[in-house]
Amino acid sequence: MTVTATAVAKARAAAPAKIILFGEHFVVYGNPAILASINRRITVTAKKSRDGGKVKIKSDIASGEFDGSTFRLIEGANARATLEPLYYAARQALDDKKQQKGGLEIEIKSDIPYGVGLGSSAAALVATIAAVESLLGRADKKKVCESAIEAEKIIHKNSSGADCFVSTFGGMMHYSKGGGFKKVEAKTKLFLVIGDTGIKHNTGDLVSSVRKLKEANQMAFSGLMSQSRDICNQALAALNSGNTEHLGMLMNENQLLLERLGVSHEKADDLIDVARRAGALGAKITGAGGGGAIIALAASKEDSERIASAIKETGQGAFEVEIDTKGLVLG
Ligand code: MEV
């Protein structure tokens, strides 16, 4: 799908954050996951610069420049891991458009907490690639998504692609590596709350730790895979029939599997407990884990407000989220 067609001096793209409702980690090994984009976004503005061959990136947390061979961090401690995939993606877009000598200035603004499993890396990649491609001619969603998945492999080489798919195409979806994505329509509105442990994680390390566990005990892992698949299937039926109580129960079951994988964290467990005691129908970590964010499902707006307040009372961040339906937006 082509979303713009004319060359411009400045181009903008915005891509949403995501939550994984069911199936994270197991999706890396071909299982299905159910995920959704949410109403938090990264907005990227790309401009051509006269500094031929140089890509400069400035974000809220870091800035740096890359001349094709050398990376120079200007500000933001430990920002290499954040910026490197973005440089790679921007360079790749220049190469694809046969503009190897072109210079770029990229500015990134975000209201997505980063490093906690809400898909900020994927959203930054999707929006950066889309902004650069539309600056240089046109952006094609399918191509943007493929390039973002390729660049994401710098962050962790076993990416399932789920985060990039949902950030590009938006909405709630059933996704698997082999089967691609199918949009899911929830029969009733979902009242969702994010709790942030404040503990940043490294997705690549967590995915590797699960791989080690899988290699050490193939039989046990394949049992967990089959339970996760079953939970996803039941969740799809619960979404289709609007049975939020069952959905919440399945989120709790999914959390038990993530605990078995060793990717939960005591601070996440505490927030899950707070959310459940404040009336959540279900709660679990969302994304890679190891701290990061939790997601809680509430029965009503009043309940979601109460859950968010209860989490904030512990001193941690919390906010209610809506499901985004737009995905990547240009301009
Ligand atoms: C990260 O948001 C989700 C994981 O399942 C990794 C992946 O799908 O690539 C942990």
Side-chain angles (χ1 to χ4, degrees):
M1 188 195 321
T2 298
V3 277
T4 188
T6 39
V8 284
K10 185 169 160 179
R12 185 174 295 154
K18 68 95 193 4
I19 46 171
I20 300 189
L21 287 158
F22 298 97
E24 53 273 269
H25 285 290
F26 298 103
V27 68
V28 169
Y29 303 97
N31 252 18
I34 297 175
L35 62 162
S37 58
I38 54 171
N39 58 338
R40 292 266 173 149
R41 290 188 160 251
I42 280 187
T43 303
V44 174
T45 308
K47 279 193 269 182
K48 288 185 183 172
S49 84
R50 290 182 213 288
D51 232 348
K54 264 196 190 153
V55 176
K56 294 185 184 170
I57 300 189
K58 184 167 171 36
S59 80
D60 305 325
I61 55 164
S63 65
E65 59 181 39
F66 194 58
D67 65 8
S69 57
T70 326
F71 169 86
R72 192 166 76 85
L73 191 63
I74 297 168
E75 64 171 301
N78 305 320
R80 175 175 278 271
T82 312
L83 294 183
E84 215 171 355
L86 298 175
Y87 286 114
Y88 170 81
R91 268 269 45 106
Q92 190 59 44
L94 283 169
D95 290 353
D96 287 351
K97 303 281 184 195
K98 308 219 175 331
Q99 305 230 1
Q100 287 87 344
K101 295 213 167 75
L104 288 174
E105 277 176 29
I106 291 167
E107 195 179 358
I108 301 173
K109 297 253 171 249
S110 173
D111 66 0
I112 308 175
Y114 74 96
V116 292
L118 296 177
S120 69
S121 312
L125 283 169
V126 167
T128 300
I129 295 166
V132 174
E133 291 205 340
S134 52
L135 178 75
L136 302 176
R138 66 185 180 88
D140 172 79
K141 277 199 175 190
K142 189 165 168 283
K143 170 80 182 23
V144 167
C145 183
E146 280 166 12
S147 304
I149 293 172
E150 235 5 83
E152 203 188 27
K153 289 184 182 153
I154 298 179
I155 302 170
H156 77 110
K157 57 179 186 308
N158 294 311
S159 162
S160 69
D163 292 12
C164 295
F165 261 95
V166 79
S167 189
T168 307
F169 297 103
M172 194 183 311
M173 59 176 65
H174 176 275
Y175 172 83
S176 72
K177 247 170 150 174
F181 75 92
K182 283 184 216 79
K183 291 271 178 143
V184 174
E185 293 295 335
K187 186 84 182 284
T188 50
K189 183 173 164 58
L190 299 182
F191 296 97
L192 296 162
V193 180
I194 303 279
D196 184 353
T197 64
I199 298 168
K200 310 279 180 219
H201 65 206
N202 179 317
T203 302
D205 290 349
L206 287 153
V207 171
S208 301
S209 77
V210 172
R211 179 169 293 273
K212 281 195 196 114
L213 188 113
K214 173 179 180 287
E215 281 162 8
N217 198 338
Q218 296 280 359
M219 274 248 289
F221 192 82
S222 84
L224 297 177
M225 283 282 279
S226 116
Q227 287 179 60
S228 175
R229 221 171 9 249
D230 184 46
I231 288 173
C232 257
N233 290 338
Q234 289 191 55
L236 206 53
L239 282 163
N240 287 333
S241 65
N243 188 342
T244 46
E245 274 184 21
H246 191 208
L247 207 58
M249 222 179 73
L250 293 166
M251 285 168 75
N252 292 339
E253 280 180 28
N254 193 149
Q255 173 62 15
L256 290 175
L257 299 187
L258 294 166
E259 285 167 17
R260 296 273 302 275
L261 292 185
V263 296
S264 199
H265 185 282
E266 63 179 45
K267 209 149 183 188
D269 297 344
D270 286 349
L271 293 192
I272 287 169
D273 198 38
V274 169
R276 286 179 188 156
R277 277 195 277 116
L281 298 172
K284 60 182 275 294
I285 58 170
T286 183
I294 67 130
I295 176 99
L297 175 68
S300 65
K301 174 80 183 140
E302 295 72 47
D303 283 6
S304 64
E305 283 169 4
R306 193 176 54 249
I307 293 163
S309 302
I311 294 175
K312 282 185 199 154
E313 272 166 29
T314 69
Q316 296 309 132
F319 51 95
E320 293 162 79
V321 285
E322 302 271 333
I323 291 173
D324 148 276
T325 51
K326 297 198 281 277
L328 170 64
V329 173
L330 289 170

